[in-house]
Amino acid sequence: DIDQLYATFSIPSAAAGTLEVGKTYHVEIGGQVGVNATLESVGVQTDAESGTVRVKLLIENRDHKLRAGEPCVWNL
């Protein structure tokens, strides 16, 4: 089922504090720019080695215009 896609990113720990769960952000996926993605979760633990936190974005895809597995870019 590809009605909803998830994109997971590792972002710098300092940037995690500026994000809001439930807020919509724009990503690029499969060459399509400005795709709406809702922030679903921000990790509570920073990876000590990389200094990053995992975040998960939900992308609605009911029209199936996006393909699962395509590269996804998020410019914070």
Side-chain angles (χ1 to χ4, degrees), residues 1-4 6 10-13 20 23 28-29 33-34 36 38 43-44 47 51-52 60 74:
D1 182 22
I2 60 168
D3 286 348
Q4 295 181 322
Y6 289 95
S10 294
I11 64 167
S13 183
E20 297 177 41
K23 184 175 177 181
E28 177 182 341
I29 182 170
V33 180
N36 290 333
T38 304
V44 295
D47 179 76
T52 60
E60 293 293 338
W74 183 21

Side-chain angles (χ1 to χ4, degrees), residues 41-68:
S41 65
V42 177
V44 295
Q45 182 175 350
T46 299
D47 179 76
E49 189 172 317
S50 66
T52 60
V53 174
R54 302 281 285 186
V55 296
K56 186 174 177 181
L57 295 152
L58 172 65
I59 302 166
E60 293 293 338
N61 189 37
R62 288 190 179 96
D63 55 9
H64 298 172
K65 288 185 179 179
L66 304 171
R67 295 175 55 88

Side-chain angles (χ1 to χ4, degrees), residues 17-41:
T18 66
L19 302 175
E20 297 177 41
V21 172
K23 184 175 177 181
T24 300
Y25 296 91
H26 297 286
V27 298
E28 177 182 341
I29 182 170
Q32 294 189 41
V33 180
V35 175
N36 290 333
T38 304
L39 184 62
E40 187 166 276
S41 65

